Amino acid sequence: IAGITQAPTSQILAAGRRMTLRCTQDMRHNAMYWYRQDLGLGLRLIHYSNTAGTTGKGEVPDGYSVSRANTDDFPLTLASAVPSQTSVYFCASSEVPNTEAFFGQGTRLTVV
Amino acid sequence: GENVEQHPSTLSVQEGDSAVIKCTYSDSASNYFPWYKQELGKRPQLIIDIRSNVGEKKDQRIAVTLNKTAKHFSLHITETQPEDSAVYFCSGGSGNTPLVFGKGTRLSVIA
C-alpha cells in the first residue's frame, strides 16, 4: 500500500540521548517535511527537503538535523534530546512543494 | 516569511448548524491555501484546497473562500454532523516555500 510511514510510533527517551526518527515514503514524492505538534501551537515546521540532496530549515530547527540521501527517506535526528523536545512529530511528503501533503501517522516522543 | 493566523481556537456548534473558520496570511506571494482535518489521535488529512486564481471552491458540505486583496480565507462547513468534530488547520504557501500552518481550530459538533 502506497503511503508514508514513520518509526517508532512512540518513544520515551532520556535527556541527553541521541535519537533518530525514521520516515519513508513510496509515492516518489520530491518534497518531504518534518513538523512538530504541540498543544495550542499547531504544526510547526522543523526542516524540509524540496528534492533529494537538498534540505532547508523551518521555523524551529534548533536541536534537530536531517538528511535526504535519496527520494524515499527523510530521517530526523535529535543530537542530544532535551525535555522541550517532548512532542508529537509528523513527517509529510508532497509530489512537489505546495501541493497536497500526505502525513505519516506520527511519532510521540517523550524526553525525560 | 509567511505568517498564518487562525480564528477561533475553539468552536462549538449544534448539529445541523454551520461552522466558519477564518484565517489571514501575511505574504502576498502565497498562492496555495489547503485546509487539513485532524481527528483525535490521527494524522492531518487534506479536506479542501484553493489556489489564488479562484475565489471560492465547494465540495459537498465544505466550501473555502479566498480574498486576495484582504489576504484572508475561510472554511465553511454546512449542516454539521458529529463526525465533523476535529481540529482543522488552515495553511498557506507559494513556490518552493513549505506550507505554514495556523494554530488550529478545535470544532465540536453537539448532537
Side-chain angles (χ1 to χ4, degrees):
Chain A
I1 298 177
I4 179 167
T5 56
Q6 296 180 229
T9 55
S10 66
Q11 181 76 45
I12 299 174
L13 186 67
R17 297 294 297 268
R18 180 184 179 90
M19 173 77 188
T20 295
L21 307 185
R22 300 184 298 279
C23 176
T24 299
Q25 53 98 3
D26 61 3
M27 297 176 282
R28 305 305 292 170
H29 284 174
N30 287 298
M32 297 188 74
Y33 317 91
W34 275 104
Y35 292 91
R36 60 176 289 175
Q37 184 173 33
D38 303 289
L39 192 64
L41 296 177
L43 293 158
R44 294 184 293 168
L45 182 68
I46 305 171
H47 286 287
Y48 67 96
S49 169
N50 284 339
T51 189
T54 69
T55 62
K57 293 182 179 180
E59 179 186 356
V60 288
D62 293 344
Y64 306 95
S65 63
V66 292
S67 61
R68 187 85 185 279
N70 57 62
T71 297
D72 299 344
D73 302 300
F74 191 44
L76 176 73
T77 297
L78 289 68
S80 179
V82 294
S84 61
Q85 292 178 311
T86 293
S87 187
V88 178
Y89 291 85
F90 283 101
C91 180
S93 71
S94 63
E95 186 173 357
V96 293
N98 285 290
T99 57
E100 180 179 0
F102 294 83
F103 285 80
Q105 79 276 27
T107 295
R108 182 174 296 276
L109 180 67
T110 303
V111 182
V112 297
Chain B
E2 176 64 280
N3 182 48
V4 176
E5 300 282 344
Q6 182 171 350
H7 301 280
S9 57
T10 60
L11 178 61
S12 292
V13 299
Q14 291 291 130
E15 183 178 358
D17 287 351
S18 296
V20 180
I21 302 170
K22 299 182 179 182
C23 290
T24 60
Y25 62 98
S26 62
D27 188 351
S28 56
S30 289
N31 58 12
Y32 178 58
F33 305 94
W35 287 84
Y36 288 81
K37 175 183 179 182
Q38 185 180 27
E39 297 177 353
L40 189 62
K42 301 290 182 64
R43 72 191 77 189
Q45 291 189 296
L46 180 76
I47 54 171
I48 194 167
D49 57 10
I50 191 168
R51 293 200 177 268
S52 59
N53 56 343
V54 297
E56 184 176 6
K57 185 176 179 180
K58 289 184 179 180
D59 183 2
Q60 300 182 354
R61 297 186 296 107
I62 293 173
V64 58
T65 59
L66 172 65
N67 183 326
K68 284 191 65 179
T69 302
K71 289 192 280 189
H72 65 70
F73 56 114
S74 301
L75 178 71
H76 304 253
I77 305 173
T78 59
E79 301 172 23
T80 53
Q81 301 168 3
E83 52 265 39
D84 294 329
S85 295
V87 178
Y88 292 81
F89 293 98
C90 62
S91 58
S94 67
N96 288 328
T97 305
L99 291 172
V100 175
F101 286 82
K103 289 183 169 49
T105 296
R106 182 174 300 278
L107 173 65
S108 299
V109 180
I110 304 164

